Amino acid sequence: MCRASARSAGSLAGLLALLTLAGCSGGSYPMDTLSTGSDYARTIHSVYVMVNWIDLVILLVVIALMFMAIFWFSTRVGEPGEPSLVSSDLRLEVAWTAIPALILVFIAVPTVRAIWRTQPDKWPVKALTVKVVAHQWWWEFQYPKLGIDTADEVHFPVGREIHFELRSADIIHSFWIPAMGGKRDVIPGQVNELTFTPHETGEFYGQCVEFCGTSHANMRFRAFVDTKDGFDRWVKQQQSPPVMPTSGPAAAGAPIFANAPCAICHTVKGISGFSKQYSGKFTGPDLTHFGSRSTLAGGILSNTPRNLAMFIQDPDKVKPGARMPTLGLQGKDLNDLVAYLESLK
Ligand code: CUA
């Protein structure tokens, strides 16, 4: 082997080793598509792993053949041993058509089976149904049987089949929790469905994955897979109305919420004065238990009083294109409103 070839082979091996190590660094990536948090994700992952092994074998065979060709036929033009030119070889052409076709068939069988398994004709009737409504740019999650309506954070119990009904309030979006499996488009005028059984408890990231305007990248959400008891506790808490604050900044913030344009788009259930009159026309997230959420503004900021104040002061800066108007609240009014919203648990 000449020195230059040895050097390039060495660099190639180094690059491969680096890529392999990068894949094994064991870091925690919230959008990791290699997680297998549900049966759906495992089905996809098994096809992915199989295809990768096949690809690796093909890659090694091709590289080996390439090096064999380079070194065995390294004779220069005109030197003795120069191979004769071949214009066509039927056996070779049949072979390099048939072998890839067979490989594709071999990959297609488990792939098609996985597609059928993750898109069944009959959707489960015993599953926990979560209605998802995609909005520019936030996610609404409704649990029709439990009477819960929340935003940007979805909870479900581990080990139970979850059935999502996906609708859009405006344009095309796409629903994706990478750790739980594949994505599914959310299309206006039709209901798409997705079902899986989560196997791991924890907090997982979700994201809209269909370009849907200025704040597409800010249309995120969190999925919490709870233990059964944890989920029951969450349900109970979501079903009970928040306690109306009677003193301090939170109490002072309640009328600000009711009188500012907030209540035109947002609802706080169970608190007299602004729950029914706008029913059915809310264009913003239900804020009934806002204080219990870990994020705000479509899952892009942690839910802290400071971040909330920043969002209320200039929604467009936090989330470009946001429909929430700038209210012009400052100082005490802003702090009181923030305290009120954070008290909604
Ligand atoms: Cu919704 Cu992108």
Side-chain angles (χ1 to χ4, degrees):
M1 199 188 278
C2 74
R3 214 177 287 165
S5 315
R7 220 181 296 139
S8 26
S11 323
L12 185 70
L15 186 67
L16 279 174
L18 205 68
L19 286 173
T20 313
L21 285 176
C24 302
S25 58
S28 147
Y29 303 101
M31 302 297 278
D32 180 6
T33 51
L34 299 178
S35 308
T36 50
S38 76
D39 55 339
Y40 183 8
R42 278 184 197 174
T43 303
I44 294 176
H45 192 257
S46 64
V47 175
Y48 173 83
V49 169
M50 186 206 70
V51 171
N52 266 282
W53 279 115
I54 294 175
D55 287 353
L56 184 68
V57 171
I58 295 171
L59 177 75
L60 293 177
V61 169
V62 170
I63 289 178
L65 287 173
M66 188 182 74
F67 275 99
M68 275 159 67
I70 290 172
F71 295 114
W72 279 355
F73 303 111
S74 60
T75 323
R76 284 171 194 279
V77 177
E79 281 183 358
E82 184 196 346
S84 57
L85 288 175
V86 179
S87 62
S88 73
D89 185 322
L90 186 65
R91 283 170 308 170
L92 261 183
E93 290 192 18
V94 168
W96 69 47
T97 307
I99 294 173
L102 280 176
I103 294 170
L104 288 181
V105 169
F106 195 73
I107 290 173
V109 172
T111 306
V112 172
R113 207 186 288 151
I115 292 172
W116 281 338
R117 204 187 301 164
T118 55
Q119 317 255 347
D121 282 346
K122 283 198 190 106
W123 291 93
V125 278
K126 283 190 181 159
L128 171 69
T129 297
V130 182
K131 290 188 174 180
V132 179
V133 186
H135 300 256
Q136 282 173 306
W137 292 275
W138 60 282
W139 296 93
E140 182 175 357
F141 298 107
Q142 304 168 347
Y143 298 69
K145 287 203 180 134
L146 302 173
I148 296 172
D149 191 337
T150 183
D152 297 329
E153 298 199 351
V154 61
H155 283 248
F156 26 82
V158 69
R160 174 145 182 218
E161 199 166 26
I162 318 297
H163 179 218
F164 292 94
E165 290 182 14
L166 307 163
R167 290 174 175 81
S168 170
D170 36 54
I171 61 170
I172 301 178
H173 302 267
S174 188
F175 181 80
W176 192 32
I177 309 169
M180 296 292 142
K183 37 192 96 146
R184 193 130 312 163
D185 279 0
V186 187
I187 297 170
Q190 83 175 58
V191 182
N192 280 357
E193 294 167 285
L194 172 67
T195 195
F196 59 72
T197 306
H199 296 309
E200 277 172 41
T201 54
E203 179 183 343
F204 302 94
Y205 281 46
Q207 166 82 51
C208 175
V209 276
E210 179 71 45
F211 181 70
C212 56
T214 324
S215 266
H216 154 69
N218 299 322
M219 189 170 164
R220 304 178 206 170
F221 63 98
R222 297 288 163 90
F224 294 87
V225 183
D226 302 324
T227 57
K228 202 193 161 295
D229 289 349
F231 180 72
D232 291 345
R233 272 198 300 278
W234 179 79
V235 167
K236 223 173 191 178
Q237 181 244 340
Q238 294 290 309
Q239 286 172 336
S240 23
V243 181
M244 185 69 173
T246 50
S247 62
I256 297 176
F257 179 87
N259 297 322
C262 313
I264 295 173
C265 298
H266 297 282
T267 183
V268 175
K269 283 193 211 88
I271 290 192
S272 58
F274 32 88
S275 65
K276 286 213 178 94
Q277 73 212 77
Y278 301 112
S279 154
K281 292 192 180 143
F282 300 108
T283 54
D286 183 313
L287 298 179
T288 310
H289 296 94
F290 174 80
S292 69
R293 293 182 204 149
S294 61
T295 60
L296 60 92
I300 54 176
L301 292 176
S302 313
N303 187 0
T304 63
R306 213 182 136 183
N307 284 341
L308 179 58
M310 183 170 75
F311 185 48
I312 293 173
Q313 259 187 320
D314 194 350
D316 206 63
K317 192 173 161 200
V318 173
K319 207 183 197 183
R323 301 212 168 142
M324 193 159 101
T326 305
L327 302 176
L329 289 176
Q330 301 281 346
K332 187 183 177 307
D333 284 353
L334 178 65
N335 287 341
D336 290 349
L337 179 60
V338 166
Y340 170 65
L341 291 169
E342 295 292 3
S343 79
L344 300 172
K345 294 200 174 163

